[in-house]
Amino acid sequence: MPKLLQVLPPVFHAQQTVSLNDDLSQVSLYFIYAAMAVYTVAFLAYVWHLSQAASTVKANRKGATRIEKWAFILLIISALFHGFGVVLRGVAASRVPWANMYEFSITGTFLVVAIYLVSQVFVKDIRILAVFMSGFVLLVLGIATNQFYVQVKSLMPALQSYWLVIHVTVAILATGFFNIASAASIAYLMKGSKLVETSKLKGFALTRRILGLFPDMNKLEKLAYRFNIIGFILWTFTLIAGAIWAERAWHRYWGWDTKEVWTFIIWTIYAGYLHANATRGWSGKRSAWLAVIGFCAIIFNFTIVNLFFKGLHVYSGLK
Amino acid sequence: MDSSRPSDHVSNEAPIASPELGVVGWLRWVWRSLTSMRTALILLLLLAAAAIPGSIYPQRSADPNGVTSYFQQNPELAKVLDGLQLFDVYSSVWFSAIYILLFISLIGCVVPRTIVHAKAMVSPPPVTPRKLSRMPAYFISKTKSASSDSIVGDAAALLKKQGYRVEVDGDSVSAERGYLRETGNLIFHVSLIGVLVAVGFGGAFSYSGQRLLVEGDTFVNNLAGYDSFSPGAFFNENNLQPFSMSLDKFEIAFDNNVDHVGNTGTPIDFRASVSTKLTPGSEASKAVIRVNEPLELPGSKVYLTGNGYAPVLAFSDKPCKALPGGVRVIEGPFSYEGAVPYLPQDANYTSLGVIKLPDAKPNQYGVLSFFYPTAGKLPTGAFTSIYPAALSPQSSLLTLNVYVGDLGLDSGIPSNVFSLATHGLKQLSGGKTGVKPIQLLVKGNAQDLPNHMGCVAFTDLKRFASLDIDYNPGQGWVLLFALLSLGGLILSLLVPRRRVWVKRTSEGVEVAALARGDDPALEKIVVEVADELGFKAKSKKKDTDA
């Protein structure tokens, strides 16, 4: 801004002033960085745990449980840093912290971790997926802080609606469930892979032993299914809530905007997944592939569609 | 069919056709294949794939300007793509074919399932299978107390209390619950048909019209009042309610805090204050339309979809009149006078306007004009706007480039009011002409046009609002069916449908359970039932459950 803008014309009514705190958003960013650092250590600890637990030496296998315990504690610490970072970002912007890609990334990954931490209390089988989950969260946070970071900004009028809270929260939750399900499906596909099963190369022996630590394929398939049905219900709601909001903000409930198109595509892929589970010849491997493809479509929708496709959902805040 | 499936399980297998089928046989084969789950699955995946091109190529429905510019940039390729209906994906023959087939398949699947389900709802649970030990969840107690006579009655009472439908059959109890799972499934699928019908019906009677209103202007709701109008197939002009609407004021709140680096100048609120008369003679009622807050009128809703500046300009064929003190003013008669909507080109409202003067004498001319609410200079010397509002009346600047020649308005070919086809016109000011563009301040001096063509003045600054007037009688129904399908989906995925059997045999008492679909609690259920009946059950894990 050039210097001449020292005194700007008053806004026409008092409640329309915005409150943004750049210093606080810096503090938020430091918390996110701190979380990333601890996630890195937690991720490495989980990798170490897997390699130890799959070791052929008995003493190593014994020590693995302790490593996992430490990795879990590190995961909780990083989740706390992460959560602080998200909350501070919201406070700095005086609104919900999911109005652009950076904020969506940090909030979304936090919810993935939260869903994981809550679920692993009830579904012990997903504990082993921590390595997928922490690696994924770390990757997304790395891209978010490097590529998507923007200063705190006020909400554009189209986003000033309670539907921002409803529609986006549910979309993030759905993504979190799909994410954990896709981890289970990837483990399923790796376990069922002929290459891994039969290869005589040395690395594959270790891979086989590591995969041996995961629940059996039947359990993995069910885990994926259970997380995917929750994700699908939430995604259906996201779609309906989005249509209700679009009717108010854009004068039509559905207009095949690029983001709407991809929300529909993702819904259809997961609907296909549910049918595949009940179709002989399609349950198992093919439906697991559909779950992975579905999650790839979600990532595509969030990145490529946001950044490169023309449409009304242009909220990345990036130039 | 899987032997462990309930007898009313609908098979997903397409029957294998034999080559000697007659016409009826073939039709039956086609119908069976179409309504199989495998076909539905493939159609779903096809639908997902077919939707992708619509996000890659601009669509006439969502982005008509994108289609126009695609045709300008790649005329040859565009023709090919257009032939394949890739600019109208969602109304294309191939996309429609997929979803129509999908819905036929859905109907063909739902109807027999509804009949089967209706029958199941009124008939008792099927008889207890002979070998319960084959069931995925199974428990047997070989203790003596197990053979007590009351066990069958106890089990029946217990299961009934737990919401099961119970049938006592000699030495065994057969119980089933979770019929809502299939009910939900059917509601989900039928509601999807409802959504499709409501979308089609609503679309046919709907209309969507656009109108740009400058502050002070009035819109009357008839076809002539719209700048653009897209009606549904069954739209009738007589259905337009005869309201009128004036835009009294349009206001924007920008973030005016200079400390908000990167956010200063961001719009926080748009408000269109309007006066509406529902019938020509009635009292005007005032309302404010905002983004996310449309105005609901009988028979339509009015949405705020855009805005910009509308400088009020006057053009005269006479030279400006010089008053004492160096002030120059414009004199009538005017070849043009009025507010001109300028389309914003960037976030700071650098705006582009076009004025065509076909009645100017001796030659008609056109003007390409830029408006800068708060003008600043780029390092290159070009003007730019540095704040989206006028900081003071003197901070706004209007520049004009004049083009002389045939404007092509007499040819009868409709032309865009927001663009000037400069090809074939002679530029007299601005650009490479060497003549400076005319620069005007609001309510400042009038300026002479080049070549003694006359005088121009910038007399006032107004704003305009782009309004969208929409009517869709189907959308309430679409919402209703969408919510019903969501409810059905939740039931069909989360309600467990299971059968439980308790059987007294010579060996002891058996408890077994079987689920339709995924049921994480199956093992637990058997243990619980056994516990309630007085056995210390330890779950004997079968391979099926986690």
Side-chain angles (χ1 to χ4, degrees), chain A residues 1-13 15-22 123 125 151-163 216 218-220 222-223 225-226 228-230 232-238 240-241 243-262 264-283 286 290 300 305 309-312 319, chain B residues 1-2 5 9 12-13 37-38 40-45 47-49 51-52 54-56 59 61-63 65-66 69 90 95 181 188-189 192 198-200 203 208 210 251-271 290-294 296 301 303-305 348 374-375 386-387 389-391 468 470 472 474-475 478-479 482-483 485-486 489-490 492-494 518-521 541 543-546:
Chain A
M1 275 287 136
K3 289 242 167 66
L4 76 127
L5 297 182
Q6 287 310 310
V7 187
L8 294 177
V11 289
F12 50 82
H13 48 125
Q15 71 266 35
Q16 290 300 341
T17 53
V18 285
S19 161
L20 300 173
N21 191 332
D22 236 351
V123 192
D125 283 332
Q151 282 171 315
V152 274
K153 294 199 81 177
S154 53
L155 280 184
M156 63 172 88
L159 288 181
Q160 293 169 12
S161 166
Y162 53 89
W163 287 105
D216 63 52
N218 192 15
K219 273 189 189 170
L220 283 171
K222 289 200 165 174
L223 275 179
Y225 178 79
R226 285 166 197 171
N228 274 330
I229 57 173
I230 305 290
F232 187 68
I233 290 169
L234 295 171
W235 195 257
T236 308
F237 182 84
T238 303
I240 295 172
I244 297 172
W245 189 8
E247 192 275 325
R248 290 192 75 74
W250 298 331
H251 69 84
R252 83 288 183 291
Y253 60 86
W254 192 266
W256 296 108
D257 170 62
T258 46
K259 204 68 182 272
E260 290 171 342
V261 171
W262 277 91
F264 171 80
I265 290 172
I266 291 159
W267 191 86
T268 314
I269 294 173
Y270 278 103
Y273 164 85
L274 290 181
H275 285 81
N277 265 286
T279 306
R280 191 177 295 172
W282 277 81
S283 57
R286 286 187 186 175
L290 281 179
F300 184 84
V305 175
F309 283 30
K310 197 176 159 190
L312 291 164
K319 297 251 162 85
Chain B
M1 188 186 267
D2 194 332
R5 297 276 191 192
H9 177 81
N12 311 314
E13 297 298 291
M37 183 95 90
R38 191 188 310 271
L41 165 61
I42 287 165
L43 286 170
L44 269 171
L45 298 180
L47 191 67
I52 295 173
S55 68
I56 296 170
Q59 298 296 297
S61 56
D63 182 18
N65 296 333
S69 62
Y90 307 105
F95 190 80
R181 185 184 185 89
F188 170 73
H189 285 98
L192 287 186
V199 167
S208 171
Q210 289 74 40
E251 297 164 296
I252 310 182
F254 295 105
D255 181 7
N256 63 351
N257 187 332
V258 281
D259 297 330
H260 292 167
V261 181
N263 199 63
T264 318
T266 303
I268 305 162
D269 194 11
F270 302 116
R271 313 182 137 234
R290 301 171 66 211
V291 182
N292 273 311
E293 284 175 24
E296 295 199 34
K301 281 192 189 175
Y303 300 80
L304 176 62
T305 55
N348 279 331
T374 294
I386 54 173
Y387 190 70
L391 293 180
D468 222 282
D470 281 65
N472 187 332
Q475 62 191 22
V478 174
L479 180 61
L483 291 177
S485 74
L486 178 65
L489 183 72
I490 292 171
S492 78
L493 291 177
L494 299 184
D518 178 52
D519 185 351
K541 283 239 170 186
D543 60 343
T544 320
D545 205 65

Side-chain angles (χ1 to χ4, degrees), chain B residues 118-441:
Chain B
K119 280 184 188 158
M121 295 272 278
V122 292
S123 47
V127 290
T128 313
R130 268 186 303 136
K131 283 208 167 175
L132 284 182
S133 54
R134 281 192 187 158
M135 293 301 156
Y138 176 72
F139 163 81
I140 181 161
S141 166
K142 295 179 178 174
T143 55
K144 275 187 186 168
S145 62
S147 53
S148 74
D149 290 341
S150 64
I151 197 76
V152 172
D154 289 352
L158 172 72
L159 289 166
K160 202 162 224 168
K161 215 173 84 188
Q162 292 182 349
Y164 285 81
R165 184 169 302 178
V166 176
E167 179 78 359
V168 178
D169 174 25
D171 277 344
S172 73
V173 179
S174 171
E176 182 161 9
R177 58 154 291 162
Y179 292 78
L180 267 179
R181 185 184 185 89
E182 180 70 357
T183 310
N185 194 327
L186 294 170
I187 290 175
F188 170 73
H189 285 98
V190 171
S191 301
L192 287 186
I193 303 172
V195 169
L196 187 73
V197 171
V199 167
F201 153 83
F205 287 95
S206 73
Y207 67 81
S208 171
Q210 289 74 40
R211 173 62 194 256
L212 186 154
L213 268 187
V214 176
E215 284 172 315
D217 281 1
T218 300
F219 157 76
V220 179
N221 190 25
N222 55 41
L223 284 185
Y226 287 99
D227 298 327
S228 60
F229 192 80
S230 39
F234 300 145
F235 166 76
N236 182 340
E237 195 183 341
N238 297 327
N239 294 350
L240 289 179
Q241 301 284 332
F243 70 84
S244 70
M245 176 178 282
S246 309
L247 180 65
D248 301 329
K249 206 162 52 167
F250 189 83
E251 297 164 296
I252 310 182
F254 295 105
D255 181 7
N256 63 351
N257 187 332
V258 281
D259 297 330
H260 292 167
V261 181
N263 199 63
T264 318
T266 303
I268 305 162
D269 194 11
F270 302 116
R271 313 182 137 234
S273 305
V274 295
S275 302
T276 315
K277 286 183 182 176
L278 292 181
T279 51
S282 65
E283 192 88 348
S285 61
K286 295 200 174 290
V288 173
I289 306 174
R290 301 171 66 211
V291 182
N292 273 311
E293 284 175 24
L295 174 63
E296 295 199 34
L297 295 174
S300 56
K301 281 192 189 175
V302 186
Y303 300 80
L304 176 62
T305 55
N307 67 83
Y309 286 98
V312 182
L313 301 177
F315 290 85
S316 160
D317 296 337
K318 286 197 218 165
C320 301
K321 186 178 177 187
L323 295 182
V327 180
R328 300 165 70 80
V329 294
I330 192 164
E331 276 190 319
F334 302 119
S335 49
Y336 185 96
E337 190 194 15
V340 183
Y342 278 45
L343 299 184
Q345 307 292 306
D346 63 24
N348 279 331
Y349 283 75
T350 298
S351 305
L352 174 64
V354 166
I355 307 105
K356 296 174 187 175
L357 300 104
D359 302 325
K361 299 281 177 327
N363 294 310
Q364 50 179 234
Y365 60 93
V367 176
L368 267 185
S369 169
F370 281 94
F371 175 67
Y372 310 94
T374 294
K377 267 195 174 175
L378 291 173
T380 59
F383 286 112
T384 186
S385 177
I386 54 173
Y387 190 70
L391 293 180
S392 73
Q394 286 74 42
S395 71
S396 298
L397 177 72
L398 191 93
T399 65
L400 301 99
N401 296 341
V402 180
Y403 294 79
V404 181
D406 181 8
L407 298 175
L409 294 177
D410 308 323
S411 64
I413 300 167
S415 69
N416 188 341
V417 292
F418 291 110
S419 71
L420 182 69
T422 54
H423 184 74
L425 302 181
K426 190 181 172 210
Q427 187 170 358
L428 296 183
S429 68
K432 291 171 187 161
T433 56
V435 182
K436 266 189 158 187
I438 301 161
Q439 298 181 9
L440 289 170
L441 298 177

Side-chain angles (χ1 to χ4, degrees), chain B residues 503-518:
Chain B
K503 191 175 180 184
R504 188 177 58 192
T505 64
S506 53
E507 283 179 56
V509 171
E510 293 175 294
V511 182
L514 170 68
R516 154 117 40 119
D518 178 52

Side-chain angles (χ1 to χ4, degrees), chain B residues 57 70-71 73-83 86-87:
Chain B
Y57 300 109
Y70 202 101
F71 266 90
Q73 283 158 18
N74 312 291
E76 292 305 312
L77 181 61
K79 264 182 220 159
V80 177
L81 296 177
D82 203 23
L86 284 166
F87 298 122

